[in-house]
Amino acid sequence: MPRDSDDTPARLPPRRLHPASPFLRAWVLFVAAVAAGGRSMLDSNESWSVLAIVAGGALVAGLVLGLASWYFTRYVIDGRELRIDSGVLVKRSRRVPYERLQSVDIVQPFAARMFGMAELKIEMAGAGENKTRLAFLPLAESERLRHVLLERAHLDQPASDEGGNPTGSTALEAAEAPETLLFRLSPWTLTAAVLLSTEFLVNAVLLLAALIVGFVFHLLLEMIPVIVPIALGVVQVTSKRYIMQWGFELTHTSRGLRITRGLLSRTTQTIPLDRVQGIAVAEPLLWRPLRWSRLEVDVAGHAKSGDDRKNADESTLLPVSDRSTADRIIAAVLTHADLAEPRLAGAPRSARWLRPIGWRYLATGSTDQLVATRRGWLVRRTFLVPHAKAQSVRIRQGPLQRHLGLASVHIDIPPGPVTAVALHRSAAEARALAWTEVEQARRGRLSEAAADARTRRRRRSAMPLGPR
Amino acid sequence: MTEAASSPQDSPPTVADLFAPPGNAWQPVSTRLRDMHRLVIIGVTVVSTAAVVLLAVMVVDYWWLAVGSAVAGIAAGTWGWWWSARSQQAWGYAERAEDLYIKHGIMLRRLVVVPYGRMQYVDVIAGPVHQRFKIATVTLHTGSPATKARIAGLEPAEAARLRDRLTDLGESHAAGL
């Protein structure tokens, strides 16, 4: 890979991905072929050699296709866009205009990581397109490319001087703010957090109960169909946390917060602070005595409806931390929010008819800058939404609520882990809450627009995000 | 239409307050929405009741089934007649300086406030039946799919006016995300 060219010329010659890419993509097939081939050598069983031939054929075909696709894939960085040309038979050219660039993540799948390769995932603002991927590039190369892309995306007028040098890219790079490490997850904390998590405990208690029943009534063999799935559940819950959150690091950069995480595959993602719509503070039952919490963020454009499961990991801002770290990071994310702890008021007693246990945990409050709602018994969740981010405000009242004189107020923000709902408030309070929220949201929007005009930040609103 | 099991109780005073208009009064929607609902409900009820009655009389010869289904059909039709009117009256919207307010629903009552600046796009939809009754539905979309801002039963001229006005206001107030 030509790494000798200087950092950000206006136009770079078309480049190819790393030649190892097709091999890294086909490694599963490769392993299967080798394994089946090995078995067929050991025991001359017909089916194994058939399998070996099939796997070998698939491997060769995959490699040929992969090589062809690698040969025809090139990417070009020029003054105003990143262009990716690909396709063997059907030519495709995808353009990523810098001003529509939303996020650039670096992902290192396990196999690629072993060889120091990485994949670049590029997300654009727009009608729910898939992420654009560049796989694979050497890690240093992909970091450099991400840097270049983000630099250009944040330039005030990306295409002001056409064809010429993008405005002072070298100056910008020099002015890059130093990166500060905000948080690093230690393996011990992760272990403690997993052991005390509600999912783990539920599974563990079930497993223990099954084992005890098995021993006491001498039914261990009969209990196996029950015990094995539960044990697998325990393993899955634990290993998932370890694989996803091992070595979790949160860094403050000039572009926002950068998260790096993963045990086998490492993922690096950047959360642009001005696109954060809200924060969820989750406190599972057994974390509460330790005052530990987990933070999740709602980032505009990140959550696509349909793959919520996958996004649960992407939206984690802090897997587990003590109160002071969490507060510090909330303050870093909601930059302009004055973090006077909002005073939360509980729901009226009549809500107990609708939520016999949970009504005690329902609470709502607001400050000048944000609105906070809380709910949850096993996992207590507090949702913080800056007034300026509210998309709309709704009041809902079902027949039972009407009978009890209650109503719920929803503060709508783009989809994500944050669902700010003031459940079961008294009708008068709900009305007052909704009306003040509408007013505060207006003031928040105005002051945010003014702040943006001051810093001459390019507004994304010029290109609305489209339906989600 | 299936939420018909019990008739909604009359509004206690707090509810009137809760869903009171932001300014002078709610803008009502066209009574043709009520007429359309009535026609559809009565049509469906008559056809299905007639089918059951015919079946009961001619095939299985259970007179009590015929009488029972006729009574049920009449009850459902009466309820539909009444529900259509209530539902149409429950709709209301108000255009304020900065936001659009919409309320609707009899059993489950909803009120939504959408700032013009948050609007991403506006849909105007009229199905074939709606077109016969000369009504249209205007839907506002924001960055949040939860917004659910919809006004049913607008006169076509009003729907077009609202769409244009909302689009203009949305552009001048644009705040995006």
Side-chain angles (χ1 to χ4, degrees), chain A residues 40-368:
Chain A
S40 73
M41 300 252 196
L42 288 178
D43 48 7
S44 49
N45 187 332
E46 287 273 315
S47 58
W48 282 112
S49 38
V50 169
L51 205 63
I53 290 165
V54 169
L59 177 66
V60 170
L63 281 184
V64 168
L65 284 179
L67 274 173
S69 129
W70 167 80
Y71 182 80
F72 287 106
T73 302
R74 287 157 209 242
Y75 64 94
V76 187
I77 300 174
D78 67 18
R80 48 168 57 190
E81 66 190 9
L82 163 74
R83 202 173 73 232
I84 302 168
D85 297 326
S86 64
V88 182
L89 296 175
V90 182
K91 296 287 179 199
R92 262 203 307 203
S93 178
R94 173 167 269 192
R95 281 143 203 275
V96 185
Y98 297 137
E99 70 270 13
R100 286 188 64 208
L101 205 69
Q102 204 156 77
S103 70
V104 183
D105 298 346
I106 293 180
V107 182
Q108 282 188 285
F110 185 57
R113 193 174 162 210
M114 306 265 279
F115 296 95
M117 296 287 156
E119 177 184 348
L120 219 55
K121 273 191 189 169
I122 298 158
E123 199 170 342
M124 280 190 287
E129 300 146 274
N130 293 329
K131 286 184 181 173
T132 308
R133 293 157 187 276
L134 276 178
F136 291 96
L137 296 165
L139 183 59
E141 171 77 11
S142 62
E143 276 170 357
R144 203 183 61 85
L145 194 55
R146 176 181 66 181
H147 187 78
V148 169
L149 291 176
L150 290 178
E151 278 309 340
R152 299 201 173 176
H154 283 262
L155 285 177
D156 252 350
Q157 286 97 12
S160 57
D161 42 358
E162 317 245 326
N165 234 348
T167 7
S169 52
T170 39
L172 262 171
E173 258 166 59
E176 174 107 355
E179 300 183 349
T180 47
L181 184 70
L182 287 178
F183 171 80
R184 177 179 280 140
L185 179 63
S186 82
W188 302 115
T189 318
L190 178 58
T191 308
V194 169
L195 291 181
L196 291 176
S197 73
T198 315
E199 310 158 277
F200 177 80
L201 280 173
V202 168
N203 274 303
V205 166
L206 281 177
L207 182 63
L208 205 64
L211 282 175
I212 289 173
V213 168
F215 272 116
V216 170
F217 299 102
H218 304 287
L219 289 171
L220 265 189
L221 277 181
E222 288 84 344
M223 290 291 284
I224 280 177
V226 180
I227 291 171
V228 168
I230 300 177
L232 283 179
V234 174
V235 170
Q236 200 219 339
V237 164
T238 331
S239 61
K240 190 172 166 263
R241 286 282 171 85
Y242 274 101
I243 288 171
M244 299 311 258
Q245 295 177 348
W246 183 267
F248 194 104
E249 280 178 18
L250 193 64
T251 317
H252 201 288
T253 72
S254 54
R255 300 283 161 255
L257 293 179
R258 194 169 68 218
I259 290 169
T260 307
R261 60 177 169 82
L263 176 63
L264 302 176
S265 60
R266 292 293 277 179
T267 305
T268 302
Q269 66 188 109
T270 307
I271 296 180
L273 293 184
D274 56 342
R275 300 192 63 77
V276 170
Q277 310 286 310
I279 297 188
V281 184
E283 296 162 288
L285 187 65
L286 288 177
W287 289 13
R288 270 177 249 164
L290 300 167
R291 292 170 68 76
W292 280 359
S293 55
R294 178 172 71 234
L295 299 187
E296 288 158 11
V297 276
D298 199 326
V299 179
H302 261 199
K304 308 272 190 294
S305 51
D307 51 18
D308 285 352
R309 292 301 315 154
K310 211 179 113 269
N311 276 298
D313 294 309
E314 277 189 26
S315 58
T316 303
L317 180 64
L318 204 58
V320 53
S321 80
D322 52 47
R323 181 59 60 88
S324 64
T325 314
D327 284 348
R328 209 175 67 219
I329 286 168
I330 294 174
V333 173
L334 305 176
T335 38
H336 40 261
D338 127 53
L339 274 173
E341 181 87 353
R343 257 203 304 282
L344 298 180
R349 206 174 149 69
S350 48
R352 72 185 185 281
W353 297 108
L354 296 168
R355 298 216 159 193
I357 298 172
W359 75 276
R360 292 172 191 278
Y361 296 87
L362 296 176
T364 301
S366 83
T367 68
D368 281 353

Side-chain angles (χ1 to χ4, degrees), chain A residues 300 388-399 402 407 412-415 427 431 438 442 445 459 465-468, chain B residues 15 17-21 98-99 106-113 115 118 120-121 142-147 175-177:
Chain A
K389 300 296 186 186
Q391 294 283 327
S392 60
V393 179
R394 279 183 298 143
I395 303 178
R396 264 170 71 100
Q397 192 186 43
R402 183 155 53 249
D412 299 321
I413 59 169
R431 168 92 175 184
V438 167
R442 174 180 313 144
R445 275 199 309 280
R459 295 295 303 169
L465 273 181
R468 295 213 180 272
Chain B
V15 175
D17 286 346
L18 184 57
F19 292 96
E98 304 272 343
D99 323 82
I106 311 169
M107 288 290 280
L108 180 57
R109 298 192 182 188
R110 306 183 191 90
L111 186 152
V112 58
V113 187
R118 287 305 192 194
Q120 300 221 334
Y121 61 99
T142 68
S144 167
T147 296
L177 289 174

